Amino acid sequence: MSEAPDLGQRLADFRAELQRGGLTGFIVPHADEHQSEYLPASAERLAWLTGFTGSAGTAIVLANEAAIFVDGRYTLQVGSQINEALFAPQHLIDTPPPEWLKEHTGEGDRIGYDPWLMTIAEVGRFEKACVETGAELVAIDSNPIDAVWTDRPDPPLGAISLQSDDLAGEPADAKLARLAEALDEAKADATVLGLADAVAWTFNLRGTDIAHNPVALAWAILRRDGKPTLFVDSRKLSNAVRSALAEHADIETPDALPQALAELGSAGARVLLEPRSMAAAVAAAVTDAGGTVVEGADPTALPKARKNATEIAGARRAHIRDGAAMVRFLAWLDATVGSGTVDEVLAAEKLAGFRAETALADGSELADLSFGTISGAGPDGAIVHYQVSPETNRKLEPGTLYLVDSGAQYRDGTTDLTRTVAVGEPTDEMRDRFTRVLKGMVAVATARFPAGTNGIQLDAFARRALWDAGLDYDHGTGHGVGSFLSVHEGPANLSKRGTIALEPGMVLSDEPGYYKTGAYGIRIENLVLVTNAEAIPGGDRPMLGFETLTLCPIDRRLIDPRLLTIAELDWIDDYHARLPDALGHLLDEDERTWLAAATRPLS
Amino acid sequence: MSEAPDLGQRLADFRAELQRGGLTGFIVPHADEHQSEYLPASAERLAWLTGFTGSAGTAIVLANEAAIFVDGRYTLQVGSQINEALFAPQHLIDTPPPEWLKEHTGEGDRIGYDPWLMTIAEVGRFEKACVETGAELVAIDSNPIDAVWTDRPDPPLGAISLQSDDLAGEPADAKLARLAEALDEAKADATVLGLADAVAWTFNLRGTDIAHNPVALAWAILRRDGKPTLFVDSRKLSNAVRSALAEHADIETPDALPQALAELGSAGARVLLEPRSMAAAVAAAVTDAGGTVVEGADPTALPKARKNATEIAGARRAHIRDGAAMVRFLAWLDATVGSGTVDEVLAAEKLAGFRAETALADGSELADLSFGTISGAGPDGAIVHYQVSPETNRKLEPGTLYLVDSGAQYRDGTTDLTRTVAVGEPTDEMRDRFTRVLKGMVAVATARFPAGTNGIQLDAFARRALWDAGLDYDHGTGHGVGSFLSVHEGPANLSKRGTIALEPGMVLSDEPGYYKTGAYGIRIENLVLVTNAEAIPGGDRPMLGFETLTLCPIDRRLIDPRLLTIAELDWIDDYHARLPDALGHLLDEDERTWLAAATRPLS
């Protein structure tokens, strides 16, 4: 066993390094160069320095004080992981880091940051704070943490594969031609792709650098005229993959990116960059060399979100396989949970096992889970982003609810679903809450809406039955989902911040919930596909709608039919009626029997 | 009868005047200095120059061409009013005036504008367009139209009265103290109020300068420290009103405003200005003298929108009186329409008469209508902002719908309601559409929602039943309403653009509709008050809700109860059940009989 690290020593070493560099402070975000959702070990600088391992946060280290900023999900965790004598914990929303910096610095201070780890927009906010105090914000190309983190892991070198046209549905050259047109429309000469899923989608490549997202850490420059450049470590490429990619792009090492940006700049290029996801270093390299940055949307974002017919067909196949694995898991759980031996860890492992097994039986393969399974028994289900650990592992006990939010990466599609099931006899309150959450889920799934409608407008449909009872949930109703790519994919979502209009082909989650702290959590999540709804007789406008992709029963024992309208009852019965035929071929006899019972009509 | 004006001569005179001033063009908006919704005759420069009398539009005159920009409401009207040989009509949204200017000007052009008639934000958009073409945008203090419009009316000198504390609910000095605190929080030394309703609310004054809005055209400077200054023409003030206002403010003539702004500027003041409603001239006067403009929300907007208990009590009284007048009108209409003598003009006049009469009977007075009555029979009901004229006046005929959208200004409150009634036997389609619109209206009226919820989130509740049938309407669901002030009041609304959180005390309209061009229009509008909803047993969060203020039956002949849920039926029956008691004392025997029949339960 390794010893607990001496965080005090690490901080002291880091401060000494800052002093050597003439800096009075440094900003340490939880980020890599690509603004990845999951970081490679080599980018876990925040965890190394502070001990905090959450998925979002920032530290600011000054000469005599330091703070760490986390959001509401992590206020408990940060307290247990960090040493508060070293880092003062702050709430990210109540005290944004630039505000804190403004209060704690002044004239003459030199605050460093790594411009590869912070976005154009983030640096803008810190710049604004520093202008007001007279401190200087200094971009430092060589991260001073790396100088003192002597055993920092090497960056990952996961093998890259190609996503074949019969899975991607559109060859890379066709995508590149569309993107060149988009650059022309945006009056830009070039754009830089930094998000790993944007690079993967554009070139139909997939990688294995980080957990859960089948992407490779790589950069690309796309040009209005001329061949793109793909910046990727050659050691990730087989000869075959390399020569296939070389048809579409010049291949360079990532170290060559700054020079290529400088060349764009010195040629006076107008370079389109998405300010909330692009490293500030990229913008600086362009402008320092005389180029112009045009801030705007990532041109791959909408085309990637609008799944083509091939991707949609793949998603449907993936959801059959994934639904069957879930049915096998739920049948096993019903048969086993009474023995008192099932805990959160066992349940999550069992589910992963069913996924792997069912994929093989379907002639496919489970490439990865699409995120760390949320396996929450009783009160743990009320923790929205609960990740089980040996310390928190809990048995599934009678009279409680069990919430499992999980998903898979298959070569033909990404899945994400949540089911909440009764363990033993549920209370009336649990059934009331569950049914209200279900009404919300169905309200979104059955919505018809005109082109131009966005996620803010639809979000409240999922909440109305809860609002009616004085209840709500503190997360969005849904996020975009990639096609064998990130399970959280922009730009559209169903939430208070969902300003992007929904378009046919987008895949989104529909996942309202209800959480009673210390008691139980409920969430019901299906993935839905935005479609052109069939024309309505007598209607005078075309409407969009949703097709439900997820195929998995909803626990009938938790539904109070008295709270449902006829239309809601019909929807649930119709949904359940589809499942035996859709999934039966991947189930054994006992599982089919279980599914038949689980999908009996309510009415 | 006056002769039709020679618009060609006017345009030629105007161009000659521009040439004398060394200008190659000029921007002529439909606006006064206060960005009033209704203009005084003296500010109708766009109508004088072009012939176009709509409520929104802009012209741009260049040396050899000119264009007029109107929105979708006015594309027909503009064609019939202007001479297309003089002004090329443009669609305001498809071709925004700054875009058009960019295409039609170049290096060396000098485009003038009146900085008192255009807002900070508007000028910013034109500046940006000119930067791209090399043209110069030039603020011209003395409007060149006024030089050639020789018989321009004088500005109005309507008498100002005070809104007593028992109607306003908060004395002016208390409001001023609150606003000084708001300036302190915004780190501003002063703010300028330009919107006439902001000035009226702040000083508890009311005016008679313009139609429908009981405001006086006036300016104010509020200071963090020190007495405010009210800039108003003394001829509008009686001695008594003047001395009452002088307790709260130094009173100056409007001509003194530029000098006062320059004094703020030269003292280095930070002046808070709302960029979308404040004249660019005000910002320029501050900055030219060395001051700083802080762009931000008008500090009166939210306090004005949150009605206090006195204003709410006044609104309830006004709605009883107004509802009784509507019932008298609807009873008269039902009794008379069969004779074939009722047309749109007669109906609107009759309704105004009932309003005046009922107000007097209630010991009150009809100060004004709150907007020009929309009285639309048959296909005219499908024109959302229809204003009847002798040319378009139409009889109410059997088998059609009649839509009447109207409101009143009483001293204790402002009303606005729409009812759609069957003339003769409605079709099944009419009843289907009416019932869907009603479901939407009720869905908003019955909503419960947490603090922080805005109008974008609620807007879709009003549309869902229409969307389900492939239908929609092209306007927002609701607007804020003032307290004996503007019937369209910011900052909150129920629409795709409703980003302001709803707060207790706000009064909003709830008015979904359905319009079948050339056939009929349906709109049902009640005003609702945002309230703290009573606590819901078992609920774990406080919720907001709506109280319906409008008291007027909804045409039962147009409701198809089979499309309603039990909850919707109950809401309608409960709503109707309140009306006889609430309104009966202002009705005669026959009207009471009519009302009893009109409010029979559906179930």
Side-chain angles (χ1 to χ4, degrees):
Chain A
M1 273 187 60
S2 64
E3 256 177 272
D6 183 344
L7 295 171
Q9 189 58 51
R10 287 182 181 180
L11 182 58
D13 292 348
F14 181 54
R15 282 192 167 122
E17 179 66 21
L18 294 183
Q19 205 173 9
R20 272 190 292 280
L23 296 171
T24 39
F26 204 84
I27 304 165
V28 184
H30 181 274
D32 72 353
E33 291 84 341
H34 304 277
Q35 297 293 318
S36 301
E37 183 175 357
Y38 297 92
L39 302 190
S42 53
E44 290 282 9
R45 295 177 181 91
L46 183 69
W48 180 84
L49 182 67
T50 67
F52 171 67
T53 62
S55 67
T58 295
I60 300 180
V61 175
L62 301 177
N64 298 311
E65 58 182 331
I68 183 163
F69 305 80
V70 300
D71 63 42
R73 288 176 292 172
Y74 291 120
T75 40
L76 286 176
Q77 180 177 333
V78 78
S80 70
Q81 292 189 317
I82 67 162
N83 178 346
E84 294 193 19
L86 303 177
F87 291 90
Q90 303 284 334
H91 192 288
L92 192 64
I93 308 301
D94 300 342
T95 312
E99 286 302 308
W100 186 91
L101 193 69
K102 206 160 72 181
E103 302 293 320
H104 291 77
T105 55
E107 200 71 36
D109 281 329
R110 299 186 78 237
I111 308 300
Y113 70 98
D114 183 338
W116 290 97
L117 304 185
M118 285 170 55
T119 66
I120 297 168
E122 282 168 344
V123 170
R125 288 192 289 272
F126 279 106
E127 290 277 12
K128 205 174 154 207
C130 286
V131 162
E132 293 190 34
T133 65
E136 191 186 351
L137 194 68
V138 191
I140 303 292
D141 265 329
S142 172
N143 196 308
I145 288 198
D146 301 357
V148 292
W149 185 3
T150 48
D151 56 350
R152 188 167 76 98
D154 288 328
L157 290 173
I160 290 179
S161 59
L162 298 176
Q163 185 77 338
S164 59
D165 289 353
D166 62 337
L167 291 171
E170 185 179 13
D173 50 7
K175 292 181 177 177
L176 288 164
R178 284 208 282 158
L179 294 168
E181 275 173 40
L183 289 178
D184 195 50
E185 270 171 41
K187 294 183 177 136
D189 300 304
T191 189
V192 183
L193 304 182
L195 292 168
D197 69 340
V199 175
W201 176 83
T202 302
F203 293 97
N204 288 340
L205 64 82
R206 296 296 186 270
T208 51
D209 279 341
I210 53 179
H212 305 314
N213 290 347
V215 295
L217 301 179
W219 298 88
I221 295 178
L222 309 187
R223 295 174 170 82
R224 177 164 49 181
D225 308 302
K227 206 170 180 185
T229 312
L230 180 62
F231 300 87
V232 58
D233 193 309
S234 277
R235 290 171 287 180
K236 300 181 188 179
L237 303 173
S238 67
N239 288 346
V241 168
R242 186 185 177 90
S243 59
L245 290 172
E247 287 178 29
H248 309 301
D250 294 327
I251 299 179
E252 299 275 1
T253 168
D255 294 347
L257 177 64
Q259 179 58 31
L261 296 171
E263 283 166 17
L264 278 178
S266 56
R270 291 168 56 86
V271 181
L272 174 66
L273 299 177
E274 203 289 297
R276 283 166 306 169
S277 62
M278 182 51 63
V282 170
V286 170
T287 53
D288 288 353
T292 302
V293 167
V294 183
E295 294 194 358
D298 176 345
T300 68
L302 275 173
K304 170 158 56 64
R306 295 182 202 119
K307 273 67 181 172
N308 60 43
T310 304
E311 291 170 317
I312 290 169
R316 292 198 183 107
R317 286 197 305 274
H319 278 90
I320 290 170
R321 188 183 309 136
D322 205 57
M326 270 296 288
V327 165
R328 299 182 62 197
F329 168 71
L330 292 172
W332 167 84
L333 188 68
D334 261 13
T336 317
V337 74
S339 70
T341 58
V342 181
D343 62 26
E344 296 165 348
V345 170
L346 174 66
E349 287 174 353
K350 200 78 193 171
L351 173 54
F354 281 118
R355 279 203 160 96
E357 211 176 275
T358 310
L360 287 177
D362 193 36
S364 173
E365 194 189 345
L366 174 66
D368 199 345
L369 298 179
S370 60
F371 56 97
T373 297
I374 297 173
S375 174
D380 290 343
I383 303 168
V384 174
H385 291 91
Y386 178 65
Q387 288 289 306
V388 64
S389 66
E391 295 77 43
T392 64
N393 190 16
R394 192 187 283 270
K395 281 249 162 61
L396 277 58
E397 286 173 357
T400 66
L401 298 181
Y402 169 64
L403 182 156
V404 57
D405 184 352
S406 70
Q409 293 286 6
Y410 307 106
R411 202 82 212 186
D412 48 5
T414 301
T415 68
D416 181 3
L417 84 167
T418 309
R419 288 296 180 267
T420 304
V421 296
V423 181
E425 189 61 31
T427 66
D428 287 348
E429 183 190 279
M430 289 171 181
R431 298 182 78 220
D432 177 90
R433 277 27 175 178
F434 184 91
T435 308
R436 289 178 186 279
V437 171
L438 177 59
K439 285 169 77 80
M441 197 275 280
V442 174
V444 170
T446 57
R448 294 282 173 275
F449 49 90
T453 302
N454 68 28
I456 308 178
Q457 295 171 272
L458 298 184
D459 175 73
F461 284 164
R463 300 180 193 272
R464 176 146 191 157
L466 290 162
W467 286 356
D468 284 347
L471 313 170
D472 200 3
Y473 52 94
D474 292 326
H475 57 73
T477 297
H479 53 83
V481 177
S483 181
F484 189 44
L485 279 175
S486 303
V487 79
H488 297 137
E489 179 181 273
N493 64 60
L494 302 175
S495 82
K496 281 186 209 178
R497 281 168 296 282
T499 56
I500 301 292
L502 304 189
E503 295 185 52
M506 288 180 171
V507 175
L508 296 152
S509 70
D510 168 15
E511 48 176 318
Y514 173 72
Y515 310 95
K516 185 163 182 170
T517 306
Y520 59 86
I522 294 166
R523 187 160 62 251
I524 311 174
E525 175 187 22
N526 281 349
L527 297 195
V528 292
L529 168 72
V530 182
T531 60
N532 288 302
E534 53 194 283
I536 298 161
D540 49 27
R541 303 187 188 208
M543 290 278 152
L544 303 179
F546 294 117
E547 171 191 326
T548 295
L549 295 173
T550 301
L551 296 168
C552 178
I554 295 158
D555 195 340
R556 298 170 76 263
R557 297 164 297 192
L558 286 167
I559 300 174
D560 182 348
R562 293 168 306 176
L563 291 175
L564 298 175
T565 65
I566 304 287
E568 288 164 345
L569 271 172
D570 286 348
W571 186 90
I572 296 162
D573 284 347
D574 288 350
Y575 177 70
H576 276 159
R578 292 163 54 201
L579 302 184
D581 272 359
L583 310 178
H585 64 290
L586 292 168
L587 307 177
D588 69 19
E589 192 61 38
D590 288 349
E591 290 156 353
R592 276 196 289 269
T593 304
W594 180 89
L595 181 60
T599 57
R600 287 194 317 279
L602 290 165
S603 48
Chain B
M1 272 186 62
S2 64
E3 257 177 274
D6 183 345
L7 295 172
Q9 190 59 49
R10 288 183 182 179
L11 182 57
D13 292 349
F14 181 53
R15 282 195 167 120
E17 180 66 21
L18 295 184
Q19 203 172 9
R20 274 191 289 280
L23 295 171
T24 41
F26 205 83
I27 303 165
V28 184
H30 181 274
D32 72 353
E33 292 84 341
H34 305 277
Q35 296 294 318
S36 301
E37 184 176 356
Y38 297 91
L39 302 191
S42 53
E44 291 281 9
R45 295 179 180 89
L46 183 68
W48 180 83
L49 183 66
T50 68
F52 171 68
T53 61
S55 67
T58 294
I60 300 180
V61 175
L62 301 178
N64 298 310
E65 59 182 331
I68 183 162
F69 304 80
V70 300
D71 62 42
R73 287 176 292 172
Y74 291 120
T75 41
L76 286 177
Q77 181 177 333
V78 78
S80 70
Q81 293 188 319
I82 67 162
N83 177 347
E84 294 194 19
L86 302 177
F87 291 91
Q90 302 285 335
H91 192 287
L92 192 64
I93 309 301
D94 300 342
T95 311
E99 286 302 309
W100 186 91
L101 194 67
K102 207 160 70 182
E103 303 292 321
H104 292 78
T105 55
E107 200 71 35
D109 281 330
R110 298 186 77 237
I111 309 299
Y113 69 97
D114 183 337
W116 291 98
L117 304 185
M118 285 171 55
T119 66
I120 298 168
E122 282 167 344
V123 171
R125 287 192 289 272
F126 279 105
E127 290 277 12
K128 205 174 154 208
C130 286
V131 162
E132 294 190 31
T133 65
E136 192 186 351
L137 195 68
V138 191
I140 304 292
D141 263 332
S142 172
N143 196 309
I145 288 198
D146 301 357
V148 291
W149 184 4
T150 49
D151 56 350
R152 190 166 76 97
D154 288 328
L157 290 171
I160 290 179
S161 60
L162 297 176
Q163 184 78 336
S164 60
D165 288 353
D166 62 339
L167 291 170
E170 185 179 12
D173 50 8
K175 292 180 179 178
L176 288 164
R178 282 208 282 157
L179 293 170
E181 275 173 40
L183 289 179
D184 195 51
E185 270 171 42
K187 294 185 176 133
D189 301 304
T191 190
V192 183
L193 304 183
L195 292 168
D197 69 340
V199 175
W201 176 83
T202 302
F203 293 97
N204 287 341
L205 64 83
R206 296 295 186 271
T208 51
D209 280 340
I210 52 177
H212 306 314
N213 290 347
V215 296
L217 300 179
W219 298 89
I221 294 177
L222 309 187
R223 295 175 169 80
R224 178 165 50 181
D225 308 302
K227 206 170 180 184
T229 312
L230 179 62
F231 299 87
V232 60
D233 193 310
S234 276
R235 290 171 287 180
K236 300 181 189 179
L237 302 172
S238 68
N239 289 345
V241 168
R242 187 185 175 91
S243 59
L245 290 173
E247 286 178 29
H248 308 301
D250 295 328
I251 299 178
E252 300 275 2
T253 170
D255 294 347
L257 177 64
Q259 179 57 30
L261 296 172
E263 282 165 18
L264 279 177
S266 57
R270 291 167 56 86
V271 181
L272 175 65
L273 299 178
E274 202 288 298
R276 283 166 307 169
S277 62
M278 182 50 64
V282 170
V286 170
T287 52
D288 288 354
T292 302
V293 167
V294 183
E295 295 194 356
D298 175 346
T300 69
L302 275 173
K304 171 159 55 65
R306 295 182 201 116
K307 273 68 183 173
N308 60 43
T310 304
E311 291 170 317
I312 290 169
R316 291 198 184 107
R317 285 196 305 274
H319 277 89
I320 290 170
R321 188 183 311 134
D322 204 57
M326 268 298 286
V327 164
R328 298 181 64 198
F329 168 71
L330 292 173
W332 168 83
L333 187 67
D334 261 11
T336 316
V337 75
S339 70
T341 58
V342 183
D343 61 26
E344 295 166 346
V345 170
L346 175 67
E349 286 173 355
K350 200 77 194 173
L351 174 53
F354 281 118
R355 278 202 160 98
E357 211 176 275
T358 310
L360 287 177
D362 194 36
S364 174
E365 194 189 344
L366 175 65
D368 199 345
L369 299 179
S370 59
F371 56 98
T373 297
I374 297 172
S375 174
D380 290 343
I383 302 168
V384 174
H385 290 90
Y386 178 67
Q387 289 290 304
V388 64
S389 66
E391 295 77 43
T392 64
N393 190 16
R394 192 188 283 271
K395 284 247 160 67
L396 278 58
E397 286 174 357
T400 66
L401 299 181
Y402 170 65
L403 183 156
V404 56
D405 184 352
S406 69
Q409 293 287 6
Y410 306 106
R411 202 82 212 184
D412 47 5
T414 302
T415 68
D416 180 3
L417 83 166
T418 309
R419 288 296 181 267
T420 304
V421 297
V423 181
E425 189 62 30
T427 64
D428 287 349
E429 182 190 278
M430 289 171 179
R431 300 181 79 220
D432 176 90
R433 278 22 178 182
F434 184 92
T435 308
R436 289 177 187 279
V437 171
L438 177 58
K439 285 169 78 78
M441 196 275 279
V442 175
V444 170
T446 57
R448 294 282 173 275
F449 50 91
T453 301
N454 68 29
I456 309 178
Q457 295 171 272
L458 299 184
D459 175 73
F461 285 163
R463 300 180 193 270
R464 177 147 190 153
L466 289 163
W467 286 355
D468 283 347
L471 312 169
D472 200 3
Y473 51 94
D474 291 326
H475 57 74
T477 297
H479 53 83
V481 176
S483 181
F484 190 46
L485 279 175
S486 304
V487 78
H488 297 137
E489 180 180 272
N493 64 61
L494 303 176
S495 82
K496 282 186 206 177
R497 282 167 296 282
T499 55
I500 301 293
L502 304 188
E503 295 186 51
M506 289 180 172
V507 174
L508 296 153
S509 70
D510 169 15
E511 49 176 317
Y514 173 72
Y515 309 94
K516 186 164 181 169
T517 306
Y520 59 85
I522 294 166
R523 187 161 61 250
I524 310 174
E525 176 186 21
N526 281 348
L527 296 195
V528 293
L529 168 73
V530 182
T531 59
N532 288 303
E534 54 193 282
I536 297 162
D540 48 28
R541 305 188 186 205
M543 291 279 151
L544 303 178
F546 294 117
E547 171 190 325
T548 295
L549 295 172
T550 301
L551 297 168
C552 179
I554 295 157
D555 194 342
R556 298 171 75 264
R557 298 164 296 190
L558 286 168
I559 300 174
D560 181 350
R562 293 168 306 176
L563 290 176
L564 298 175
T565 65
I566 304 288
E568 289 164 344
L569 272 171
D570 286 349
W571 186 89
I572 296 162
D573 284 346
D574 288 350
Y575 176 70
H576 276 159
R578 290 163 56 201
L579 302 184
D581 273 0
L583 310 178
H585 65 288
L586 293 168
L587 306 177
D588 70 20
E589 192 61 37
D590 287 350
E591 291 157 351
R592 275 195 289 268
T593 304
W594 180 91
L595 182 59
T599 57
R600 288 193 316 279
L602 290 165
S603 47

